[in-house]
Amino acid sequence: MTTVAAEQTKAPMSPLRFFHESQKSVEKFRIQLSNRVSALTRGVDSAASPVPAEYEELTTLAAQMEGVLDRAIANQLGDYVVWDAWLKHVRGVGSGLAGQMLALLLPPRADKGPSSWYKAAGLVPEYREEDGQMHLPKARKGEGKLLHHRWLRRCLWNLATSFVRQGGYYRKVYEQKKLGLQAKHAGDTAWPPYRIDDVARWSMIKLFLAHLWEAWCDAAGIHNRQAWIVQYGGAQHHY
């Protein structure tokens, strides 16, 4: 079975994705090295102290490499028509978050819709028999590999946090959804505050992804299909 995450991974690696993957590797190395230096400094590492000068030098070099990759990612954004046309004007989306997201999203296609991105990021809820509730997919013992791209979902969560902190249109979407959920599930122990907050954030992100899909299609001249409710819904549905 080919998973959505595997489809993302098998796509030809763009320069943006190459820089993103390299950045992740360098960041991991820098964090591991910084933790080792901290342990040596506090005397909790088994290695001899003081901290070797080479460790400090390597930490500095790793930070410099991250800076180079950050600039490379920012430069690559110009190759994505949706960046100049729409994305860079959205409050809360900086070049760093945009670079991560565009590196992991497959470009839109005329025969698909934003739901393909929802699936890739694991944003399609699943029914769970243990509590009779709908939940986003996550790693569970004995259930095999995840079918979505974990790094993409992590990136989108960081984007949601940025929207909430920066304010603007998507912050208002989040607040409205959160208020609606609080009113709907008042007194429901299956809906604690953290779950309401999570659902409000992911609802905001799914709307943003739908907007990104439309803006990208418009900027690239892709004649994308209409929403199902518009194209097939008929008179019995409301849009």
Side-chain angles (χ1 to χ4, degrees), residues 49 51 62 74 85 92 99 105-106 111-112 115 122 151 156-157 164-165 180 184 209-210 216 220 231 235 237:
S49 59
V51 179
L105 288 175
L106 293 178
D111 61 332
K112 290 184 177 291
S115 60
W151 278 99
L156 293 174
W157 179 260
V164 172
R165 289 176 178 172
K184 181 178 180 180
L209 288 175
W216 199 337
Q231 191 167 356
H237 296 285

PDB file of all heavy atoms in Angstrom, residues 49 51 62 74 85 92 99 105-106 111-112 115 122 151 156-157 164-165 180 184 209-210 216 220 231 235 237:
ATOM      1  N   SER A  49      36.394  16.982  31.574  1.00  0.00           N
ATOM      2  CA  SER A  49      36.188  18.415  31.426  1.00  0.00           C
ATOM      3  C   SER A  49      37.561  19.103  31.505  1.00  0.00           C
ATOM      4  O   SER A  49      38.530  18.500  31.946  1.00  0.00           O
ATOM      5  CB  SER A  49      35.256  18.931  32.522  1.00  0.00           C
ATOM      6  OG  SER A  49      35.806  18.651  33.795  1.00  0.00           O
ATOM      7  N   VAL A  51      35.223  21.704  28.745  1.00  0.00           N
ATOM      8  CA  VAL A  51      34.637  21.474  27.429  1.00  0.00           C
ATOM      9  C   VAL A  51      35.706  21.679  26.358  1.00  0.00           C
ATOM     10  O   VAL A  51      36.363  22.711  26.334  1.00  0.00           O
ATOM     11  CB  VAL A  51      33.462  22.444  27.188  1.00  0.00           C
ATOM     12  CG1 VAL A  51      32.873  22.218  25.805  1.00  0.00           C
ATOM     13  CG2 VAL A  51      32.398  22.284  28.265  1.00  0.00           C
ATOM     14  N   ALA A  62      27.805  25.135  13.203  1.00  0.00           N
ATOM     15  CA  ALA A  62      26.471  24.606  12.917  1.00  0.00           C
ATOM     16  C   ALA A  62      25.444  25.728  12.857  1.00  0.00           C
ATOM     17  O   ALA A  62      24.565  25.742  11.981  1.00  0.00           O
ATOM     18  CB  ALA A  62      26.074  23.579  13.973  1.00  0.00           C
ATOM     19  N   ALA A  74      14.889  31.171   1.828  1.00  0.00           N
ATOM     20  CA  ALA A  74      14.220  32.432   1.494  1.00  0.00           C
ATOM     21  C   ALA A  74      14.402  32.777   0.020  1.00  0.00           C
ATOM     22  O   ALA A  74      13.465  33.256  -0.647  1.00  0.00           O
ATOM     23  CB  ALA A  74      14.760  33.560   2.381  1.00  0.00           C
ATOM     24  N   ALA A  85       2.459  36.163  -5.160  1.00  0.00           N
ATOM     25  CA  ALA A  85       1.075  36.492  -5.494  1.00  0.00           C
ATOM     26  C   ALA A  85       0.181  36.602  -4.260  1.00  0.00           C
ATOM     27  O   ALA A  85      -0.769  37.403  -4.251  1.00  0.00           O
ATOM     28  CB  ALA A  85       0.503  35.444  -6.454  1.00  0.00           C
ATOM     29  N   GLY A  92       1.449  36.475   9.651  1.00  0.00           N
ATOM     30  CA  GLY A  92       1.808  35.284  10.425  1.00  0.00           C
ATOM     31  C   GLY A  92       2.613  34.272   9.643  1.00  0.00           C
ATOM     32  O   GLY A  92       3.113  33.309  10.215  1.00  0.00           O
ATOM     33  N   GLY A  99       8.814  28.413   3.754  1.00  0.00           N
ATOM     34  CA  GLY A  99       9.776  27.513   3.128  1.00  0.00           C
ATOM     35  C   GLY A  99       9.573  26.075   3.553  1.00  0.00           C
ATOM     36  O   GLY A  99       9.598  25.159   2.729  1.00  0.00           O
ATOM     37  N   LEU A 105       4.736  20.330   0.701  1.00  0.00           N
ATOM     38  CA  LEU A 105       3.470  20.198  -0.006  1.00  0.00           C
ATOM     39  C   LEU A 105       3.708  19.906  -1.479  1.00  0.00           C
ATOM     40  O   LEU A 105       4.526  20.573  -2.120  1.00  0.00           O
ATOM     41  CB  LEU A 105       2.646  21.490   0.104  1.00  0.00           C
ATOM     42  CG  LEU A 105       2.013  21.815   1.452  1.00  0.00           C
ATOM     43  CD1 LEU A 105       1.356  23.181   1.380  1.00  0.00           C
ATOM     44  CD2 LEU A 105       0.997  20.757   1.857  1.00  0.00           C
ATOM     45  N   LEU A 106       2.986  18.916  -2.013  1.00  0.00           N
ATOM     46  CA  LEU A 106       3.013  18.714  -3.454  1.00  0.00           C
ATOM     47  C   LEU A 106       2.218  19.830  -4.119  1.00  0.00           C
ATOM     48  O   LEU A 106       1.177  20.238  -3.599  1.00  0.00           O
ATOM     49  CB  LEU A 106       2.410  17.360  -3.811  1.00  0.00           C
ATOM     50  CG  LEU A 106       3.195  16.115  -3.367  1.00  0.00           C
ATOM     51  CD1 LEU A 106       2.435  14.856  -3.754  1.00  0.00           C
ATOM     52  CD2 LEU A 106       4.576  16.099  -3.996  1.00  0.00           C
ATOM     53  N   ASP A 111      -6.968  17.991 -11.095  1.00  0.00           N
ATOM     54  CA  ASP A 111      -7.905  16.912 -10.813  1.00  0.00           C
ATOM     55  C   ASP A 111      -8.052  16.613  -9.326  1.00  0.00           C
ATOM     56  O   ASP A 111      -8.708  15.644  -8.946  1.00  0.00           O
ATOM     57  CB  ASP A 111      -7.472  15.634 -11.542  1.00  0.00           C
ATOM     58  CG  ASP A 111      -6.090  15.156 -11.086  1.00  0.00           C
ATOM     59  OD1 ASP A 111      -5.284  16.008 -10.659  1.00  0.00           O
ATOM     60  OD2 ASP A 111      -5.821  13.946 -11.178  1.00  0.00           O
ATOM     61  N   LYS A 112      -7.432  17.415  -8.476  1.00  0.00           N
ATOM     62  CA  LYS A 112      -7.522  17.204  -7.038  1.00  0.00           C
ATOM     63  C   LYS A 112      -7.967  18.488  -6.352  1.00  0.00           C
ATOM     64  O   LYS A 112      -8.170  19.521  -7.000  1.00  0.00           O
ATOM     65  CB  LYS A 112      -6.174  16.754  -6.466  1.00  0.00           C
ATOM     66  CG  LYS A 112      -5.764  15.342  -6.865  1.00  0.00           C
ATOM     67  CD  LYS A 112      -4.472  14.936  -6.198  1.00  0.00           C
ATOM     68  CE  LYS A 112      -4.091  13.495  -6.520  1.00  0.00           C
ATOM     69  NZ  LYS A 112      -5.008  12.523  -5.892  1.00  0.00           N
ATOM     70  N   SER A 115      -8.246  18.724  -0.174  1.00  0.00           N
ATOM     71  CA  SER A 115      -8.372  17.548   0.692  1.00  0.00           C
ATOM     72  C   SER A 115      -7.160  16.630   0.567  1.00  0.00           C
ATOM     73  O   SER A 115      -6.839  15.886   1.501  1.00  0.00           O
ATOM     74  CB  SER A 115      -9.642  16.768   0.360  1.00  0.00           C
ATOM     75  OG  SER A 115      -9.630  16.322  -0.981  1.00  0.00           O
ATOM     76  N   GLY A 122      -2.355  14.542   7.677  1.00  0.00           N
ATOM     77  CA  GLY A 122      -3.054  13.818   8.739  1.00  0.00           C
ATOM     78  C   GLY A 122      -4.128  14.643   9.403  1.00  0.00           C
ATOM     79  O   GLY A 122      -4.329  14.560  10.623  1.00  0.00           O
ATOM     80  N   TRP A 151       6.202  15.511   9.573  1.00  0.00           N
ATOM     81  CA  TRP A 151       6.880  16.802   9.550  1.00  0.00           C
ATOM     82  C   TRP A 151       5.975  17.892   8.995  1.00  0.00           C
ATOM     83  O   TRP A 151       6.035  19.048   9.425  1.00  0.00           O
ATOM     84  CB  TRP A 151       8.165  16.714   8.726  1.00  0.00           C
ATOM     85  CG  TRP A 151       9.313  16.149   9.500  1.00  0.00           C
ATOM     86  CD1 TRP A 151       9.785  14.864   9.469  1.00  0.00           C
ATOM     87  CD2 TRP A 151      10.130  16.827  10.464  1.00  0.00           C
ATOM     88  NE1 TRP A 151      10.835  14.710  10.334  1.00  0.00           N
ATOM     89  CE2 TRP A 151      11.077  15.903  10.956  1.00  0.00           C
ATOM     90  CE3 TRP A 151      10.149  18.127  10.942  1.00  0.00           C
ATOM     91  CZ2 TRP A 151      12.026  16.243  11.912  1.00  0.00           C
ATOM     92  CZ3 TRP A 151      11.101  18.466  11.897  1.00  0.00           C
ATOM     93  CH2 TRP A 151      12.026  17.534  12.371  1.00  0.00           C
ATOM     94  N   LEU A 156       2.634  22.722  10.074  1.00  0.00           N
ATOM     95  CA  LEU A 156       1.341  23.402  10.065  1.00  0.00           C
ATOM     96  C   LEU A 156       0.905  23.772  11.480  1.00  0.00           C
ATOM     97  O   LEU A 156       0.233  24.793  11.681  1.00  0.00           O
ATOM     98  CB  LEU A 156       0.294  22.525   9.386  1.00  0.00           C
ATOM     99  CG  LEU A 156       0.505  22.310   7.882  1.00  0.00           C
ATOM    100  CD1 LEU A 156      -0.500  21.307   7.336  1.00  0.00           C
ATOM    101  CD2 LEU A 156       0.398  23.632   7.121  1.00  0.00           C
ATOM    102  N   TRP A 157       1.269  22.961  12.473  1.00  0.00           N
ATOM    103  CA  TRP A 157       0.971  23.326  13.861  1.00  0.00           C
ATOM    104  C   TRP A 157       1.746  24.579  14.254  1.00  0.00           C
ATOM    105  O   TRP A 157       1.207  25.475  14.922  1.00  0.00           O
ATOM    106  CB  TRP A 157       1.306  22.179  14.801  1.00  0.00           C
ATOM    107  CG  TRP A 157       1.038  22.521  16.246  1.00  0.00           C
ATOM    108  CD1 TRP A 157       1.939  22.911  17.186  1.00  0.00           C
ATOM    109  CD2 TRP A 157      -0.239  22.525  16.892  1.00  0.00           C
ATOM    110  NE1 TRP A 157       1.318  23.157  18.381  1.00  0.00           N
ATOM    111  CE2 TRP A 157      -0.017  22.929  18.230  1.00  0.00           C
ATOM    112  CE3 TRP A 157      -1.538  22.229  16.469  1.00  0.00           C
ATOM    113  CZ2 TRP A 157      -1.060  23.044  19.155  1.00  0.00           C
ATOM    114  CZ3 TRP A 157      -2.576  22.346  17.393  1.00  0.00           C
ATOM    115  CH2 TRP A 157      -2.326  22.745  18.712  1.00  0.00           C
ATOM    116  N   VAL A 164      -2.125  32.470  15.665  1.00  0.00           N
ATOM    117  CA  VAL A 164      -2.756  32.830  16.934  1.00  0.00           C
ATOM    118  C   VAL A 164      -1.987  33.965  17.612  1.00  0.00           C
ATOM    119  O   VAL A 164      -2.578  34.882  18.198  1.00  0.00           O
ATOM    120  CB  VAL A 164      -2.846  31.597  17.853  1.00  0.00           C
ATOM    121  CG1 VAL A 164      -3.319  31.990  19.249  1.00  0.00           C
ATOM    122  CG2 VAL A 164      -3.810  30.568  17.260  1.00  0.00           C
ATOM    123  N   ARG A 165      -0.673  33.930  17.528  1.00  0.00           N
ATOM    124  CA  ARG A 165       0.146  34.950  18.183  1.00  0.00           C
ATOM    125  C   ARG A 165       0.137  36.280  17.431  1.00  0.00           C
ATOM    126  O   ARG A 165       0.117  37.351  18.047  1.00  0.00           O
ATOM    127  CB  ARG A 165       1.589  34.456  18.307  1.00  0.00           C
ATOM    128  CG  ARG A 165       1.782  33.350  19.329  1.00  0.00           C
ATOM    129  CD  ARG A 165       3.214  32.855  19.321  1.00  0.00           C
ATOM    130  NE  ARG A 165       3.440  31.823  20.324  1.00  0.00           N
ATOM    131  CZ  ARG A 165       4.569  31.115  20.424  1.00  0.00           C
ATOM    132  NH1 ARG A 165       5.560  31.321  19.569  1.00  0.00           N
ATOM    133  NH2 ARG A 165       4.694  30.193  21.364  1.00  0.00           N
ATOM    134  N   GLY A 180     -17.539  28.871  19.142  1.00  0.00           N
ATOM    135  CA  GLY A 180     -18.605  27.971  18.727  1.00  0.00           C
ATOM    136  C   GLY A 180     -18.497  26.607  19.379  1.00  0.00           C
ATOM    137  O   GLY A 180     -19.498  26.030  19.816  1.00  0.00           O
ATOM    138  N   LYS A 184     -21.058  24.792  21.995  1.00  0.00           N
ATOM    139  CA  LYS A 184     -21.643  23.511  21.589  1.00  0.00           C
ATOM    140  C   LYS A 184     -21.356  22.404  22.593  1.00  0.00           C
ATOM    141  O   LYS A 184     -22.204  21.535  22.830  1.00  0.00           O
ATOM    142  CB  LYS A 184     -21.113  23.122  20.217  1.00  0.00           C
ATOM    143  CG  LYS A 184     -21.671  21.817  19.682  1.00  0.00           C
ATOM    144  CD  LYS A 184     -21.122  21.521  18.289  1.00  0.00           C
ATOM    145  CE  LYS A 184     -21.666  20.213  17.739  1.00  0.00           C
ATOM    146  NZ  LYS A 184     -21.124  19.916  16.380  1.00  0.00           N
ATOM    147  N   LEU A 209      -5.332  26.298   4.204  1.00  0.00           N
ATOM    148  CA  LEU A 209      -4.853  25.436   3.118  1.00  0.00           C
ATOM    149  C   LEU A 209      -5.780  25.510   1.908  1.00  0.00           C
ATOM    150  O   LEU A 209      -5.319  25.480   0.758  1.00  0.00           O
ATOM    151  CB  LEU A 209      -4.723  23.994   3.600  1.00  0.00           C
ATOM    152  CG  LEU A 209      -3.571  23.692   4.564  1.00  0.00           C
ATOM    153  CD1 LEU A 209      -3.638  22.251   5.045  1.00  0.00           C
ATOM    154  CD2 LEU A 209      -2.215  23.967   3.906  1.00  0.00           C
ATOM    155  N   ALA A 210      -7.086  25.605   2.156  1.00  0.00           N
ATOM    156  CA  ALA A 210      -8.036  25.754   1.046  1.00  0.00           C
ATOM    157  C   ALA A 210      -7.788  27.072   0.317  1.00  0.00           C
ATOM    158  O   ALA A 210      -7.815  27.133  -0.926  1.00  0.00           O
ATOM    159  CB  ALA A 210      -9.470  25.691   1.570  1.00  0.00           C
ATOM    160  N   TRP A 216      -2.826  29.430  -5.221  1.00  0.00           N
ATOM    161  CA  TRP A 216      -1.761  28.801  -6.003  1.00  0.00           C
ATOM    162  C   TRP A 216      -2.267  28.447  -7.393  1.00  0.00           C
ATOM    163  O   TRP A 216      -1.586  28.666  -8.400  1.00  0.00           O
ATOM    164  CB  TRP A 216      -1.265  27.557  -5.270  1.00  0.00           C
ATOM    165  CG  TRP A 216       0.088  27.053  -5.702  1.00  0.00           C
ATOM    166  CD1 TRP A 216       0.710  27.277  -6.904  1.00  0.00           C
ATOM    167  CD2 TRP A 216       0.994  26.252  -4.925  1.00  0.00           C
ATOM    168  NE1 TRP A 216       1.932  26.657  -6.936  1.00  0.00           N
ATOM    169  CE2 TRP A 216       2.144  26.027  -5.732  1.00  0.00           C
ATOM    170  CE3 TRP A 216       0.944  25.698  -3.661  1.00  0.00           C
ATOM    171  CZ2 TRP A 216       3.224  25.257  -5.289  1.00  0.00           C
ATOM    172  CZ3 TRP A 216       2.023  24.944  -3.217  1.00  0.00           C
ATOM    173  CH2 TRP A 216       3.150  24.731  -4.013  1.00  0.00           C
ATOM    174  N   ALA A 220      -0.794  30.076 -10.794  1.00  0.00           N
ATOM    175  CA  ALA A 220      -0.133  29.171 -11.746  1.00  0.00           C
ATOM    176  C   ALA A 220      -0.973  28.931 -12.997  1.00  0.00           C
ATOM    177  O   ALA A 220      -0.540  28.194 -13.896  1.00  0.00           O
ATOM    178  CB  ALA A 220       0.179  27.848 -11.062  1.00  0.00           C
ATOM    179  N   GLN A 231     -20.144  22.086  -7.407  1.00  0.00           N
ATOM    180  CA  GLN A 231     -20.186  21.367  -8.668  1.00  0.00           C
ATOM    181  C   GLN A 231     -21.261  20.292  -8.719  1.00  0.00           C
ATOM    182  O   GLN A 231     -21.899  20.075  -9.749  1.00  0.00           O
ATOM    183  CB  GLN A 231     -18.814  20.742  -8.949  1.00  0.00           C
ATOM    184  CG  GLN A 231     -18.657  20.188 -10.360  1.00  0.00           C
ATOM    185  CD  GLN A 231     -17.203  19.868 -10.673  1.00  0.00           C
ATOM    186  OE1 GLN A 231     -16.310  20.118  -9.876  1.00  0.00           O
ATOM    187  NE2 GLN A 231     -16.955  19.321 -11.840  1.00  0.00           N
ATOM    188  N   ALA A 235     -29.672  21.641  -5.814  1.00  0.00           N
ATOM    189  CA  ALA A 235     -30.534  22.588  -5.121  1.00  0.00           C
ATOM    190  C   ALA A 235     -30.794  22.202  -3.665  1.00  0.00           C
ATOM    191  O   ALA A 235     -31.187  23.035  -2.844  1.00  0.00           O
ATOM    192  CB  ALA A 235     -31.844  22.736  -5.873  1.00  0.00           C
ATOM    193  N   HIS A 237     -28.764  21.305  -1.440  1.00  0.00           N
ATOM    194  CA  HIS A 237     -27.686  21.694  -0.516  1.00  0.00           C
ATOM    195  C   HIS A 237     -27.531  23.214  -0.516  1.00  0.00           C
ATOM    196  O   HIS A 237     -27.922  23.894  -1.452  1.00  0.00           O
ATOM    197  CB  HIS A 237     -26.358  21.042  -0.933  1.00  0.00           C
ATOM    198  CG  HIS A 237     -26.388  19.550  -0.848  1.00  0.00           C
ATOM    199  ND1 HIS A 237     -26.334  18.875   0.349  1.00  0.00           N
ATOM    200  CD2 HIS A 237     -26.455  18.592  -1.810  1.00  0.00           C
ATOM    201  CE1 HIS A 237     -26.368  17.569   0.128  1.00  0.00           C
ATOM    202  NE2 HIS A 237     -26.452  17.371  -1.176  1.00  0.00           N
TER     203      HIS A 237
END
